[in-house]
Every structure is written in C-alpha cells, then in structure tokens.
Amino acid sequence: MIESVRFKTYDGVDLAANLYLPDKQDEWSPGIIMCHGFGSGKENYDAFGRMASEAGYAVLIPDLRGHGESGGELDANMFNDVAASLQYLHTRPEVNPMGIAIRGTSMGGWLVLHTAGYLRDISPVIAYCPANETTMQVLMEEVAMVQRGHPSPLVPPKPPRVDVNSLLQLLYKVDVLKAARRIQPRPLLLVHCEGDEVVPPHLSQRLYDSLAEPKTLWMIPGGDHNFAQHDPETDRRVLEWLDLVRPHTSTLKFEQPSED
C-alpha cells in the first residue's frame, strides 16, 4: 500500500513524501527513512519502497526541500527534513517508533550520516556512495554557475531550488567524519561502487577505516554512481543486512564519542 503524505519541518517547510506500508497491518512494522541524492526525488526509489514494504518495512521517501513536490529551497536547514520525517513516522500507528532505520544516497548519504549522529532514535544507518563536504562544495559551485546562466555537467537540466550561499556556509562548518563517529554503537553500512565517477570510492573507504565497530563496507566492483543505489540485488542484500543487525539495536548503550 502506498500513501502520498505531507508534513512540515521545524522551520516551516512543507514536505511531500510517499509512504510504503506492508499489506500485513496487525503488528508494528520497522521503518526506513530514504533520503535521495541531489536533483533526484521520491519517485526514483519506488522500486526500493515496494521491495522493502513487501519485506515488512514501512518506508518513508520524502522529496527533500527544494525538490519535486516539496517546498522551500535546499539550504543549511536541510537536516530538519530528516528530523521531520522521523517525527512523522513516530505519529504513524503502523510503525514501531523504536525500529526506524535510515538510508541515503550520495548527497542523501552525507545527510543521513550527519543526522543519524544526533538523532539517537534512528538505527541502523545505511549510506550509499556518501558525499563529503568537499564534493558538496564543488557541486554548489557548479550550481552557482548554472544559476548565473552557464551549463554544468554536474547539474541536471531541471535542477532543484537551491540557496547556494546558505549551503556553502554550512559546508564550511561541518565534518561528516566527525558526525559519523557519533553513530557508534549503532550498526552502519557503507555501499560504494569502485567505478563511481561522481563520488570517489576512497571516501567510503576512509570513513570505514576511521570508524569504530559495528561497521560494514561493501565495495562493489565496477559500476558507476547510479548503479548500486538502483540495483535490485544490492537492495535485497541491504534488507537482509537490516534483518540481521536489527535484533542487536534494542539493547544499545551510548557513550559520548570523541571529537578527535
């Protein structure tokens, strides 16, 4: 079952989302928040939403601010989109509020690593080809060129609405590696293609090498930036991984992570 839903962020941005619910509704379902990449949208992950709901998950896929049917502009408050998505799932009686995972791709991977570091209700965490601040800064510079009337191979023909200055100010202040260190002891899965031409695969390797257990890295031979995030076999493996690690998340104990 698929519902088109809307909800507001803390800073007043109206978000549109698709909610995929399992057919079996007589018990709580674990949830997944899905965050798309720059210039993408909720419709591009319909196959994952359907597959995961058939596997028993409730999947919320919002259009991030500035994208698709959602309002606002992509800006420094984009972290609020994840917080609002989590809050919305908490209002749904079909969803177990203590069993909500998060998955993100590219810019969405960067977003989930940052937000999961501070939203302790989210576990486990999955990031496909996650960007870092440097790749995001390059993208914003290209967006600024497009907004001035110049073409860019990194920006889609119909780009989202973006407040470049706001996002750049954020990117100069944050560090995805420090944020990701706060995810431990929750399970983290990184997925990256060795042939990724947009986000270098060594970024996921560096994240993996710098983080504490529990962590998993799948480095997929070949492929490109779009392959893994839309590959049905990879999605099936991810759902199997979620089923494997989920029983271990109910007894987690948190300690303040080092900022080094």
Side-chain angles (χ1 to χ4, degrees):
M1 182 171 61
I2 307 173
E3 294 183 18
S4 296
V5 301
R6 304 192 77 93
F7 48 91
K8 283 191 179 294
T9 66
Y10 298 122
D11 57 326
V13 175
D14 186 49
L15 298 183
N18 287 337
L19 177 64
Y20 297 78
L21 294 171
D23 291 334
K24 187 178 180 180
Q25 301 270 319
D26 57 351
E27 60 185 32
W28 273 355
S29 299
I32 303 174
I33 299 169
M34 168 69 221
C35 296
H36 61 74
F38 181 84
S40 188
K42 59 186 184 299
E43 291 79 13
N44 291 338
Y45 296 90
D46 177 72
F48 176 75
R50 292 176 184 274
M51 180 187 293
S53 64
E54 290 173 2
Y57 288 86
V59 186
L60 182 68
I61 310 180
D63 281 334
L64 298 175
R65 62 182 58 209
H67 290 75
E69 299 178 281
S70 290
E73 294 181 306
L74 195 65
D75 61 13
N77 293 316
M78 64 188 297
F79 296 158
N80 287 345
D81 295 5
V82 176
S85 297
L86 178 63
Q87 184 180 50
Y88 176 78
L89 283 182
H90 281 171
T91 71
R92 297 292 305 214
E94 307 94 335
V95 180
N96 179 355
M98 300 303 294
I100 299 175
I102 192 166
R103 170 193 159 168
T105 298
S106 194
M107 179 191 73
W110 172 86
L111 178 62
V112 305
L113 291 174
H114 271 288
T115 52
Y118 292 88
L119 297 174
R120 296 298 178 91
D121 290 348
I122 292 178
S123 179
V125 181
I126 306 157
Y128 285 62
C129 52
N132 67 358
E133 282 72 32
T134 300
T135 55
M136 289 283 290
Q137 288 166 10
V138 170
L139 175 61
M140 288 304 103
E141 290 167 359
E142 294 293 309
V143 171
M145 287 179 55
V146 171
Q147 291 178 347
R148 294 194 297 268
H150 304 287
S152 168
L154 298 182
V155 181
K158 294 183 179 180
R161 304 175 300 279
V162 183
D163 184 336
V164 172
N165 289 335
S166 174
L167 255 181
L168 282 174
Q169 290 179 33
L170 171 68
L171 293 170
Y172 292 138
K173 297 176 183 177
V174 297
D175 184 332
V176 71
L177 178 55
K178 289 183 178 180
R181 286 176 177 155
R182 300 180 64 92
I183 293 172
Q184 193 272 339
R186 291 165 289 168
L188 168 66
L189 171 61
L190 299 167
V191 182
H192 217 124
C193 286
E194 292 179 347
D196 194 322
E197 78 287 6
V198 177
V199 179
H202 74 261
L203 297 182
S204 284
Q205 185 68 59
R206 178 172 178 259
L207 270 173
Y208 178 81
D209 292 341
S210 302
L211 300 176
E213 297 284 353
K215 59 182 180 178
T216 305
L217 172 63
W218 295 348
M219 196 64 74
I220 299 174
D224 59 17
H225 187 62
N226 292 312
F227 175 77
Q229 57 182 297
H230 298 297
D231 175 47
E233 181 58 31
T234 302
D235 285 343
R236 277 191 288 270
R237 288 182 63 200
V238 164
L239 293 174
E240 291 173 356
W241 179 85
L242 280 173
D243 289 341
L244 180 66
V245 301
R246 185 171 298 283
H248 304 291
T249 64
S250 59
T251 58
L252 293 178
K253 296 182 179 180
F254 291 90
E255 297 180 0
Q256 184 65 29
S258 171
E259 296 293 341
D260 295 336

